[in-house]
Amino acid sequence: MRLTRFTDLALRAVMRLAVPGTPGQESAVTTREVAEVMAVPYAHMAKVVTRLQHLGVVEARRGRGGGLTLTETGRRASVGWLVRTLEGEEEVVECDGETPCPLRAACRLRGALRHAQEAFYASLDPLTVADLVESPTGPVLVSLGIRHDG
C-alpha cells in the first residue's frame, strides 16, 4: 500500500504544527512557512491545509498574528483515522473498472488485500499526532523552521 502525496503532505503539516515554534517565535506558522520547511509548492500545501481545516484538525487565522495552529482535536487525532479519511475508502485494486477483471467473481485476492489494508490502518489507530512528534522527531521539526539570516 502506498499513501497519496496529499496524505503524506497532510501528515507532515500536522506534525510540524504539533511542535512548538522556535524560541522567540511566538506567532503561529503560516502555510507558506510549512510549505518551505517541507520543501513543497505553496499551492499544494494550501490545498492540504484547506482539507485539514474542513476536518477540524487545523485552525487558520488571517491577518496580523494569524497563521496555522493544530486544534486539540488535531493533536489527539488518531493517525489511522486521519489516513483513512484522507485516503478515502478506495479498494487497493480496481476490479470493476473500465476493463473489469475476469477473475472478480471468484477471486480471493480482493478480500485478502482489503484485509491487509484494514490491518495497515489498524496499526496506525493507536498513534496520535502528538505521538508522532515525540523525540527525536519534534526537535528535528523545530530545527527545520530555524532561519539562519545574515
Side-chain angles (χ1 to χ4, degrees), residues 11 15 73-84 120-134:
L11 291 171
M15 287 171 64
T73 299
R75 189 170 303 286
R76 290 192 320 248
S78 159
V79 176
W81 168 80
L82 190 54
V83 171
R84 267 187 200 90
F120 171 77
Y121 289 140
S123 71
L124 296 174
D125 283 338
L127 287 171
T128 66
V129 171
D131 293 333
L132 293 178
V133 296
E134 290 179 3

Side-chain angles (χ1 to χ4, degrees), residues 24 64 69 102:
R64 189 171 194 180
T69 55

